[in-house]
Amino acid sequence: MHEAEDDPMFEAHEHDETEALITVRDWVRYAVTRLESEEAFYGHGCEDVLDEAVWLVSGALKLPRERFEWFLDASLTESERQRLAELVERRAVDKVPTAYLLNEAWLGPFRFYVDERVIVPRSFLAELLEERFSPWLEQPERIQRVLDLCTGSGCLAIMAAYAFPQAEIVAADLSDEALEVARINVEAYDLQDRVRLLRSDVFSALGGETFDLIVSNPPYVTAQVMAELPQEYRHEPALALAAGEDGLDVVRRILSEAKRHLTPQGWLAVEVGHNRALVEAAFPELPFTWLATETAEDKVFLLPASALWKR
């Protein structure tokens, strides 16, 4: 919370400002105004201020977002208003992402627990996993082992377990704290028997294990972009974002070592954000296939194991 809140005069002003906010609709409107007045940035699951305000208010009140309109004219209790006032200020002024305030994030229909030990889940790989990488994986039912590198909250590993119900999933991350969060999510989905969590610096702890599919949303933010990140992103662990001057420190390691961990018919899928040109310039010999989703193109590359073996 910002320092002004220690001032009794601030608290009185804040109470006066919000005491007229009675209904859910009032609080959504107020949240929109506060977020916009403080120039909040929306990059953790919402595209605009209204979506963010609805998420914040509905999540704080435990209301189903798919039926949120049913509750717009409902009145709030005093304790609910106090909680919302605090959350709106933390989101607007302190720039804490809504996902951390509510300890939840969504990828499609999947809900995940999150806190500041992991980055907020957001990945173009999520949609590709839901589609089981169609049409590139011609026989997805034959996928027996999947590796999720840099798993963070475990979100992609869990989605892979649903996409390939016959497969064993390994979820690897360098951060012990991230793996603690991943364990919460794996247990929430009752996938302890199918998703193995492993502390590993990229492939370092995997020995001779091989996989039919490796997916990774690794750190890929360049040094320049790290220096210019909106304040919201500075609440996330830098370890999960920063990847050297050109953003390819981890990607280089993945491309160098993946061939030892792919089966002959295996595939490697890696998300690199806006770095397509940097990737292609660094690895001109590789025949990248750049995948498209509903919301973006050229953010994820796909390579067959055979292409890596030729390097």
Side-chain angles (χ1 to χ4, degrees):
M1 198 70 67
H2 51 307
E3 294 178 1
E5 295 189 17
D6 293 331
D7 185 344
M9 292 299 294
F10 174 85
E11 293 179 2
H13 171 73
E14 186 68 16
H15 179 73
D16 292 340
E17 187 178 52
T18 61
E19 65 182 5
L21 305 175
I22 305 300
T23 67
V24 173
R25 189 189 306 272
D26 291 338
W27 278 94
V28 171
R29 195 282 307 158
Y30 175 74
V32 167
T33 299
R34 289 297 294 132
L35 292 174
E36 287 293 271
S37 66
E38 296 291 341
E39 299 182 345
F41 185 85
Y42 316 108
H44 290 98
C46 293
E47 295 184 0
D48 58 40
V49 63
L50 181 56
D51 285 345
E52 187 94 11
V54 168
W55 181 19
L56 181 59
V57 174
S58 64
L61 298 175
K62 308 298 184 185
L63 300 177
R65 291 171 70 185
E66 67 275 9
R67 296 182 178 180
F68 187 64
E69 69 278 4
W70 290 15
F71 302 93
L72 286 173
D73 297 315
S75 299
L76 275 64
T77 66
E78 177 64 24
S79 63
E80 288 173 335
R81 293 201 299 272
Q82 289 176 356
R83 172 166 164 74
L84 272 174
E86 176 186 350
L87 291 177
V88 169
E89 289 306 292
R90 291 187 66 197
R91 177 65 188 90
V93 178
D94 299 334
K95 303 295 191 296
V96 179
T98 297
Y100 291 152
L101 295 174
L102 302 178
N103 293 125
E104 71 169 23
W106 294 82
L107 286 178
F110 292 86
R111 179 187 181 276
F112 301 103
Y113 172 88
V114 295
D115 59 35
E116 295 190 22
R117 291 174 290 179
V118 296
I119 64 170
V120 177
R122 50 188 184 277
S123 177
F124 300 107
L125 283 163
E127 182 182 328
L128 297 166
L129 278 168
E130 286 192 275
E131 296 173 353
R132 304 208 293 177
F133 286 92
S134 175
W136 297 278
L137 295 186
E138 295 180 354
Q139 295 178 303
E141 67 279 0
R142 291 192 176 183
I143 299 294
Q144 295 299 312
R145 304 196 78 228
V146 179
L147 171 62
D148 174 23
L149 273 182
C150 310
T151 193
S153 62
C155 55
L156 295 180
I158 290 166
M159 295 186 73
Y162 277 81
F164 307 103
Q166 73 285 353
E168 172 194 357
I169 315 296
V170 177
D173 203 286
L174 176 61
S175 168
D176 287 322
E177 290 190 335
L179 290 171
E180 291 171 3
V181 175
R183 183 169 290 106
I184 292 171
N185 287 314
V186 168
E187 291 177 355
Y189 281 92
D190 196 23
L191 288 169
Q192 302 94 309
D193 293 339
R194 291 191 51 221
V195 178
R196 174 163 61 98
L197 300 174
L198 179 69
R199 185 181 186 278
S200 183
D201 185 2
V202 190
F203 295 103
S204 65
L206 284 158
E209 294 188 53
T210 58
F211 301 87
D212 303 301
L213 175 64
I214 298 174
V215 298
S216 184
N217 182 16
Y220 57 71
V221 182
T222 66
Q224 178 180 346
V225 173
M226 282 295 296
E228 300 169 352
L229 282 176
Q231 191 175 340
E232 280 83 352
Y233 291 100
R234 301 189 183 281
H235 290 275
E236 297 185 298
L239 179 67
L241 296 172
E245 191 65 28
D246 65 356
L248 300 184
D249 283 4
V250 182
V251 172
R252 285 190 178 89
R253 294 184 59 192
I254 292 173
L255 287 172
S256 173
E257 301 170 31
K259 59 187 175 184
R260 294 194 295 273
H261 297 280
L262 284 168
T263 58
Q265 305 303 317
W267 291 88
L268 172 67
V270 180
E271 182 168 333
V272 295
H274 298 289
N275 293 348
R276 174 176 176 170
L278 292 170
V279 171
E280 291 183 329
F283 303 95
E285 76 282 7
L286 287 175
F288 296 106
T289 296
W290 293 92
L291 309 184
T293 66
E294 280 192 7
T295 57
E297 296 181 359
D298 303 341
K299 302 295 189 294
V300 176
F301 68 71
L302 187 68
L303 284 170
S306 58
L308 293 168
W309 290 341
K310 295 175 182 177
R311 295 188 70 213

